[in-house]
Amino acid sequence: MRFSTLSLAAAVSTLLISGFVGSAEAAACDTTKCVFPACVCPSVNPPKGMDPKTVPQFFTLTFDDAIQGPTVPVAKSLMDGHRNPNGCPMKATWFAQTLYSDFALIQQWAAAGNEVADHTMNHIGTPPAEEIIGNRKAINAFSGIPFANLNGFRAPFLNYSKATFDILSQEKFLYDSSASALTEDAFWPYTLDYGLANDCWNGICAANVVAPGMWEIPMHAIMDGTNAYVMDAQLNGTPDKVAQWLKDNFNRHYQGTRQPFGIYLHPVHVKDADKLYNEFMTWAAGQPDVWFVTNHQLLQWMQNPVPASQMKDQPYMKCELPAVGKEICNGLDDSKSGTIDKGVLETCNFVEGPWSTCYGCPKTQPTTANPVPDRVVPAGQVGGRTPVPATCAMEWWDPIAAQCLCTSSNCTFTDTAVTTTTTATTLPSPTNSNHKPASAASGQMTGSWAFAAALAAAAAGVAQML
Ligand SMILES: *[C@@H]1O[C@H](CO)[C@@H](O)[C@H](O)[C@H]1NC(C)=O
Ligand SMILES: *[C@@H]1O[C@H](CO)[C@@H](O)[C@H](O)[C@H]1NC(C)=O
Ligand SMILES: [Zn+2]
């Protein structure tokens, strides 16, 4: 099958590749030396020889670019109406950049159980090391997310080279998700011990990428028979047409060898396509054994695959939120006031736009040369914020009191799973005060809505978003 148009739609441009020919083949993966679970060869089949009919159909939703006032509600509008078979709210992965992001909103996204991954500081294709490393450092410092949870990467414009993988490998990233998959190369996630096996048309497969143990999570393109759309498929057809492509492509996976299915979006491009995607996801969630997962959850399964019937027992699929009881700056609406981190955030004003943080405003906007500038008020001084120590989880750390509120004897959690069989098909409006949260998780989301709406007015304009 040959595709004349590969739409790698980034926010500013659609890269058209016309009449590309043939492909440099991927290096053969040596199945005798590539031993599970440390090494997994590229394959269209599930790991460990499992029968495709018994494995979960994974569904990943990912967002790219700045996490800021206007983009967060778009993401939530696509997630709030969907739950997994175990009653837990849908989670997603966001490939976040520093530029125009609000670090408090990045933290809130993670605190709600979603994944944050690296998309460089300034949205640079084929990024130099400091773009990748600096973004991770800034998000760790100003959003409180531990490095261990910040270890996925997607290249801006899906533009990467062998050097990109060398940097990721050196920095011990867990996975990359920048390469696109069509049909023959519609692989399950695999490790890069024997190189990349996707995007071979651009020569990358012949470039001898070697990153033992690091995963590639291919981006599965939506195909309409002629063209392949890797991101923002809704930009390429009428809602009816796109809805049909989504179902057809989902079924190709679901009725075939169940490679994870993905929807990869830029929130700024969603506009009124939220309806189309929500209807599709409601339909998909109605099929047996479909699980919405973050890339991290997907890789946890890859390392210890279980049949779909056992998914509900996997600890990484649970949805428990810390029950802290009083408002501390941790990305959660601990006091259930309807506003996350009410009264405890600091707002930092820079020419790139204002943003908030729990961990102390820096003197200058983070840059590649200095991703974690000194704080205006250093930790330890009156009014200073103390960073999360390695011994405490972000959600339990009070950066103002410099205290960990969870000792092994007294951590309490609230399970946000809803076990009724009814699923909302209409989404609550952000300002609908009649919407009664069904769980702590919904309450948390309501807080986000309010906070995001308040910030939207102050945030950088749409023109500044990438
Ligand atoms: C990839 O990024 C590099 C560096 O920013 C740029 O020079 C190059 O033109 C980009 N390639 C494509 C195909 O966009
Ligand atoms: C747990 O114990 C610590 C240390 O005694 C205490 O500071 C904290 O308030 C307790 N947390 C909760 C949620 O009760
Ligand atoms: Zn991007």
Side-chain angles (χ1 to χ4, degrees):
M1 233 171 167
R2 172 99 76 81
F3 297 95
S4 59
T5 304
L6 187 60
S7 179
L8 307 178
V12 292
S13 67
T14 300
L15 181 61
L16 298 179
I17 298 154
S18 302
F20 58 85
V21 284
S23 55
E25 283 299 311
C29 185
D30 185 339
T31 50
T32 60
K33 289 192 190 136
C34 181
V35 181
F36 182 90
C39 181
V40 174
C41 287
S43 173
V44 297
N45 294 307
K48 291 182 87 178
M50 290 175 84
D51 178 350
K53 286 193 285 295
T54 68
V55 302
Q57 175 61 61
F58 291 110
F59 189 130
T60 60
L61 175 66
T62 74
F63 300 103
D64 283 15
D65 302 349
I67 300 188
Q68 56 180 170
T71 56
V72 170
V74 175
K76 294 202 179 300
S77 76
L78 295 171
M79 298 163 64
D80 283 356
H82 311 290
R83 284 180 185 270
N84 271 328
N86 65 352
C88 283
M90 176 181 192
K91 309 291 184 213
T93 303
W94 201 313
F95 293 89
Q97 62 190 44
T98 296
L99 189 62
Y100 308 131
S101 276
D102 183 308
F103 287 93
L105 291 180
I106 296 178
Q107 179 177 17
Q108 291 167 20
W109 173 259
N114 298 298
E115 180 182 350
V116 177
D118 193 336
H119 198 51
T120 76
M121 290 192 88
N122 298 295
H123 204 268
I124 304 294
T126 320
E130 59 270 24
E131 278 285 343
I132 299 173
I133 297 167
N135 192 51
R136 203 179 182 200
K137 284 185 177 163
I139 292 176
N140 168 259
F142 299 110
S143 304
I145 304 172
F147 284 106
N149 295 351
L150 256 176
N151 51 14
F153 178 79
R154 175 170 292 158
F157 312 109
L158 311 183
N159 174 348
Y160 59 87
S161 67
K162 173 180 164 9
T164 313
F165 288 93
D166 293 343
I167 298 162
L168 298 177
S169 181
Q170 202 171 345
E171 294 298 317
K172 302 196 161 39
F173 273 73
L174 176 66
Y175 74 91
D176 169 76
S177 185
S178 308
S180 42
L182 305 182
T183 44
E184 289 84 5
D185 63 352
F187 299 130
W188 278 78
Y190 57 94
T191 60
L192 293 159
D193 302 57
Y194 292 84
L196 197 66
N198 291 90
D199 280 349
C200 291
W201 55 269
N202 72 13
I204 186 76
C205 293
N208 198 28
V209 168
V210 182
M214 193 169 95
W215 294 81
E216 178 63 29
I217 303 179
M219 301 173 74
H220 293 275
I222 300 297
M223 293 180 285
D224 67 2
T226 311
N227 302 306
Y229 311 110
V230 182
M231 301 191 76
D232 307 311
Q234 79 280 4
L235 300 180
N236 301 283
T238 61
D240 284 355
K241 238 186 205 169
V242 177
Q244 195 58 50
W245 299 342
L246 296 175
K247 283 188 183 176
D248 291 348
N249 281 272
F250 178 90
N251 280 332
R252 180 166 51 85
H253 291 221
Y254 187 60
Q255 292 160 6
T257 53
R258 296 214 170 164
Q259 303 93 329
F261 180 85
I263 296 288
Y264 320 112
L265 301 172
H266 292 93
V268 291
H269 286 333
V270 171
K271 304 203 168 88
D272 51 12
D274 57 341
K275 184 167 176 287
L276 149 73
Y277 283 115
N278 275 310
E279 283 172 5
F280 169 62
M281 289 189 286
T282 298
W283 172 83
Q287 316 296 311
D289 301 332
V290 173
W291 289 81
F292 297 110
V293 288
T294 64
N295 283 340
H296 266 171
Q297 288 171 318
L298 173 59
L299 291 184
Q300 280 182 278
W301 185 88
M302 287 300 299
Q303 288 160 340
N304 182 22
V306 294
S309 58
Q310 291 174 28
M311 280 305 285
K312 60 180 189 324
D313 306 322
Q314 303 309 305
Y316 56 83
M317 293 312 301
K318 290 201 185 325
C319 48
E320 292 179 328
L321 287 180
V324 178
K326 62 173 177 174
E327 199 67 41
I328 59 168
C329 212
N330 63 349
L332 295 169
D333 182 12
D334 306 294
S335 60
K336 309 278 181 287
S337 68
T339 305
I340 295 171
D341 295 340
K342 189 177 190 177
V344 289
L345 284 171
E346 284 187 358
T347 301
C348 322
N349 290 299
F350 299 110
V351 290
E352 293 82 359
W355 48 265
S356 298
T357 179
C358 286
Y359 303 100
C361 287
K363 290 178 178 165
T364 55
Q365 168 79 9
T367 60
T368 50
N370 189 8
V372 186
D374 289 345
R375 306 301 204 279
V376 174
V377 182
Q381 289 190 10
V382 177
R385 303 291 176 100
T386 307
V388 187
T391 50
C392 191
M394 176 192 88
E395 290 84 351
W396 291 100
W397 179 248
D398 178 348
I400 298 173
Q403 192 185 15
C404 192
L405 295 181
C406 166
T407 65
S408 53
S409 56
N410 73 351
C411 316
T412 55
F413 294 86
T414 308
D415 192 347
T416 66
V418 168
T419 48
T420 61
T421 50
T422 49
T423 315
T425 49
T426 48
L427 294 161
S429 116
T431 51
N432 182 359
S433 55
N434 294 328
H435 171 54
K436 199 154 180 284
S439 67
S442 307
Q444 143 76 12
M445 299 259 182
T446 305
S448 269
W449 280 111
F451 184 60
L455 268 182
V462 171
Q464 286 186 319
M465 288 184 267
L466 298 172

